[in-house]
Amino acid sequence: MRGHGAERARILLVDDDERNLLAVKTVLDDVADVVVANSGEEALRHLLKGEFAVILLDVYMPGMDGYETAHMIRSREQTKRIPIVFLSAVNKESEHLLRGYAMGAVDYVFKPVDPLVLKSKVAVFVDLFLMRREIQRNAAHEQKLLDATIRANAEKLRVEQELRLAEQRQAAILQSLPIVLYLEDRDANPRIPRFVAGNFKALTGFDFDAVGANPHLWEERLHPEDKDRALAAIASRRGAQSGALEYRWQCADGSWKFFLDQAVLLRDDMGNMAEFAGTILDITERKALEAQLTHSLKMDAIGKLTGGIAHDFNNLLAAVLGGIGMIERRIKMSDDQRRIVDMTRHAAEQGTELVSRLLSFARRQTLEPAHLPIHHLGESVGDLLSHTLGGLVRLDWQLAPDLWPAYADASQLELALMNLIINARDAMPNGGTITVTGENRTLTGSGPVGLQPGDYVLITVSDQGAGIPSHLIDQVLEPFFTTKELGKGTGLGLSMVYGFAQQSGGTLRIDSEVDIGTRVEIWLPRGAPESEVSRRKKEKLQDAVAPRGMLKILLVDDHPGARITTAALLQDMGHEVMEAADGPRMLDMLRAAPQQFDLIISDYAMPLISGAEGIRQAREICPEIPAILITGYAEAASVAGRPADVHILLKPFGAEQFAAAIANAMGRRSIAIAAE
Ligand SMILES: Nc1ncnc2c1ncn2[C@@H]1O[C@H](COP(=O)(O)OP(=O)(O)OP(=O)(O)O)[C@@H](O)[C@H]1O
Ligand SMILES: [Mg+2]
């Protein structure tokens, strides 16, 4: 046992006598490494530093004797188990021996030492020590192995748990996504997946078993308009590495969904291209948003186009009506001639009416929004329509008692409601009830498309008429779209209402089902309460000041025809007019005689400098000189740059409107009123 590799045990030999030390050391050198100490103290120091198989302790030593040393050794935790053999010269009496054993000795060796006895006794302890070490080492090794096994098991468990979690997570994600993953044989015909993962049931409404039961299910449920294209795409995919197609598909509940179906070809174990791995993604919502966007872009584009045309026509009609007015005032006509002129004016006025509807669709109407109590509106519209509706149709107003006022242009809203009600009447040739409701709505998140959060008044007009087929629903808002026979409808009604609602900061929505009926919603922003409104009305009344007599007017217009008609009109009204062909010339005239003019009347859209800018510069010469801007360009934004108290007169206008505008401008002299 002593030959455990290079390892040797150590023995601590304690004796104050050098000769003894040497003698014993010599005897024991081949049993173990002998560490010698001359005193108990030195022995204790050695014991602090290393392990010993046995301690040979001389009983009689000066200072700390053997017993004391043994006591100290026994009382220390690290050393208390080291066997102690006393070396004793004299006393063999049992009393002495007992004391030694009581102090922790395991044996006695008597001096003079018999080398053989000493050697064999010490050898027993050394063997014991080495054996214990060996056992400890083995135990430590086994513990290590055990620990490693436990660690490995724990790691395995953790990995397994993680895997399970990852699988669960993946399944949860797949379940919540509008997606199905599939594997499909390359040449499967009819196509049928071998394997699916994800939320097949939620996506299609079918159990996957249903697909097994009817291999033609996919094909049968394709939208008729998409079928040929989809089948062709699948056929050509078989010859390619990958493919992507979109189609409409009818789910189990009869609803249609838009699917994006993509796949790539995979190699099987043999390296053959044998199957497609693919996904089917529900893109119904995205498609709806796309359609919405396209529609609103289209409406915008049409709006810009019609707006531009309507604006030009408006200017032409203004000149026509102005001319007719002049003829009427200046020429004495026979009855026959007057009839012709009346007819001409009537036609031009109809044209103006048409143009104003177009402008309103293009959101270029000059709106005069006010805080409108809707209840009054019900009465006025009801009165206006009582004759038009006919006996078969009943109008039912259901306005919430606490309905908020709306902030909108009163006459335009009346017009809008009349349009909707007449549409409803036309949709019910056999009569029925048209219901107009008014409700308060507060939008917190995103409400009906495009509306900001806030308070709205929702007015709906519903009928139980013919309804609008779904493929036409996007078109009915377009100008000139009508299903009515020639001469019956212009197709401008809904366009106008739509433009009006949008320009008012609200919107229009249509819900319709064929043979069930139609419901049109107008959303308008909430107005201020009535008390507030009446206060503002009073202020307005105070502003009104009676017009004065003959005025000296500086008239600016780059269009000679328009300028001449306007000047003539002013002269007819008794005013004196100086004409300027553009802004700079107007400013020159003003500089030449700053005190000479009472009023500036200027066209808005002119080259060089705009009417608004011209008036601003004029006021640097003549501060606060009253001014009127004439504009056919009814867009609020374009005249926004004007000084606040400059009155706006819209083309085309009649003599009365002109007179009122002049009175207004003169009356407001020196009262700067902010634009509403
Ligand atoms: N309440 C409704 N029920 C069924 N279809 C409607 C309804 N309102 C509008 N429509 C459809 O929308 C089309 C366009 O309506 P819109 O009011 O813009 O023009 P219109 O009524 O044909 O002509 P206009 O209003 O200029 O006299 C109508 O021709 C009709 O086909
Ligand atoms: Mg209509």
Side-chain angles (χ1 to χ4, degrees), residues 357 419 423-424 427 463 467-468 476 481-484 488-495 518:
R357 284 173 166 218
N419 265 297
N423 278 354
D463 62 59
I468 304 170
V476 294
F481 177 86
T482 178
T483 55
K484 293 170 189 172
K488 279 262 170 82
T490 57
L492 283 173
L494 284 177
S495 327
T518 304

Side-chain angles (χ1 to χ4, degrees), residues 312-331:
D312 288 348
F313 267 101
N314 217 15
N315 283 342
L316 295 176
L317 286 167
V320 172
L321 279 171
I324 293 172
M326 256 164 68
I327 293 171
E328 281 177 322
R329 279 189 305 276
R330 292 190 176 182
I331 300 171

Side-chain angles (χ1 to χ4, degrees), residues 172-188:
I173 291 171
L174 272 181
Q175 289 294 316
S176 62
L177 283 179
I179 198 170
V180 161
L181 313 179
Y182 66 82
L183 288 176
E184 180 176 306
D185 286 337
R186 178 189 191 170
D187 296 320

Side-chain angles (χ1 to χ4, degrees), residues 292-508:
Q292 232 167 49
L293 183 66
T294 321
H295 183 241
S296 73
L297 288 178
K298 187 172 85 178
M299 295 301 278
D300 268 2
I302 302 177
K304 284 209 182 83
L305 194 71
T306 34
I309 297 170
H311 170 228
D312 288 348
F313 267 101
N314 217 15
N315 283 342
L316 295 176
L317 286 167
V320 172
L321 279 171
I324 293 172
M326 256 164 68
I327 293 171
E328 281 177 322
R329 279 189 305 276
R330 292 190 176 182
I331 300 171
K332 222 129 185 71
M333 286 178 280
S334 67
D335 283 356
D336 209 28
Q337 286 165 328
R338 180 158 293 286
R339 248 198 315 282
I340 294 172
V341 171
D342 276 351
M343 203 178 65
T344 314
R345 196 190 50 236
H346 184 66
E349 278 167 0
Q350 273 186 324
T352 312
E353 158 66 19
L354 203 75
V355 163
S356 92
R357 284 173 166 218
L358 281 177
L359 282 172
S360 119
F361 165 69
R363 295 178 227 162
R364 286 185 176 189
Q365 190 85 337
T366 302
L367 294 178
E368 288 185 12
H371 305 270
L372 285 187
I374 305 292
H375 291 94
H376 305 294
L377 198 80
E379 287 157 30
S380 58
V381 173
D383 284 351
L384 282 169
L385 283 172
S386 55
H387 302 294
T388 323
L389 286 183
L392 291 174
V393 171
R394 202 171 68 86
L395 195 54
D396 183 12
W397 292 84
Q398 294 181 2
L399 305 180
D402 59 344
L403 192 60
W404 295 324
Y407 187 67
D409 183 309
S411 55
Q412 288 297 310
L413 180 54
E414 268 177 20
L415 205 61
L417 277 176
M418 280 165 53
N419 265 297
L420 298 184
I421 292 168
I422 288 171
N423 278 354
R425 177 204 65 185
D426 293 347
M428 300 191 295
N430 300 321
T433 302
I434 300 170
T435 313
V436 183
T437 66
E439 294 157 69
N440 298 333
R441 285 295 165 88
T442 300
L443 298 180
T444 43
S446 63
V449 200
L451 279 190
Q452 300 291 324
D455 286 344
Y456 290 87
V457 174
L458 170 60
I459 302 170
T460 66
V461 176
S462 333
D463 62 59
Q464 304 100 44
I468 304 170
S470 58
H471 67 279
L472 292 183
I473 202 103
D474 280 349
Q475 274 167 282
V476 294
L477 294 181
E478 288 170 18
F480 303 114
F481 177 86
T482 178
T483 55
K484 293 170 189 172
E485 53 193 274
L486 206 66
K488 279 262 170 82
T490 57
L492 283 173
L494 284 177
S495 327
M496 191 216 98
V497 183
Y498 170 77
F500 157 70
Q502 296 261 324
Q503 198 184 340
S504 303
T507 195
L508 175 117

